[in-house]
Amino acid sequence: MKSLKNLFRMLLVPSMLFFVGCGCCDEAVEPEIAPAPAPAPVAAAQLDDVFYAFDSSVLDMASQNQLKENAQWMMDNPEAAVIVEGHCDERGTNEYNIALGERRADSAKSYLVNLGVDASRMQTVSYGEERPFDPGHDEAAWAKNRRAHFVVQ
């Protein structure tokens, strides 16, 4: 019986301390949880615009070269998604420019897809003449506004 009392004391006293606590602290101490690792940052975007001739969605050699650089950046940053925006100058009706902007965005996206960029990483949108880069009303301003612009998500 004595050994049973000793065994009871050996088990009961530590378990009571576990439930009651030692009484030395008034605050409950919560275990530290390691924070989740931060997502890998996307490298600074090196995607430059491509420009188009008046009333055209055809890619000239300079635009093709720029798209090759953009494709390389996208291959090097596979976690990045991109919106390809089509833009126009102010000449033409709103409806016509929305359609032309869409063709421009689609031509840039198609070229990137042909270079090996996954189409699911890109979306297209047309803003027509609604978001000019240069608000001027001359050929120099219009040339800057006829473009496909790339926005990294």
Side-chain angles (χ1 to χ4, degrees):
M1 186 74 160
K2 200 173 197 180
S3 64
L4 188 58
K5 281 184 180 179
N6 285 339
L7 180 64
F8 182 71
R9 214 176 299 154
M10 286 175 32
L11 293 176
L12 181 64
V13 172
S15 62
M16 287 184 68
L17 284 175
F18 177 76
F19 288 113
V20 176
C22 66
C24 66
C25 304
D26 290 337
E27 296 179 13
V29 177
E30 301 219 6
E32 288 188 30
I33 299 173
V42 174
Q46 298 298 315
L47 302 177
D48 288 331
D49 293 353
V50 295
F51 298 92
Y52 297 89
F54 175 71
D55 196 27
S56 176
S57 59
V58 175
L59 296 165
D60 63 13
M61 190 58 66
S63 294
Q64 290 176 22
N65 289 335
Q66 182 57 55
L67 286 173
K68 288 175 185 173
E69 291 180 28
N70 290 0
Q72 185 60 54
W73 184 89
M74 291 189 72
M75 300 286 202
D76 293 343
N77 295 277
E79 70 284 355
V82 173
I83 298 174
V84 183
E85 299 177 348
H87 296 271
C88 301
D89 63 36
E90 63 188 15
R91 297 172 291 180
T93 65
N94 286 339
E95 295 81 14
Y96 182 82
N97 285 336
I98 289 291
L100 179 57
E102 185 175 342
R103 289 192 304 273
R104 288 175 174 168
D106 288 341
S107 74
K109 178 183 175 181
S110 294
Y111 197 85
L112 291 169
V113 169
N114 287 334
L115 292 173
V117 178
D118 185 357
S120 68
R121 295 175 55 201
M122 295 179 281
Q123 297 176 336
T124 60
V125 64
S126 174
Y127 291 111
E129 63 190 74
E130 299 303 316
R131 294 186 179 184
F133 178 76
D134 187 327
H137 304 287
D138 58 15
E139 185 55 45
W142 295 332
K144 294 174 190 172
N145 293 333
R146 298 188 302 258
R147 71 194 190 284
H149 178 69
F150 300 88
V151 179
V152 177
Q153 296 289 289

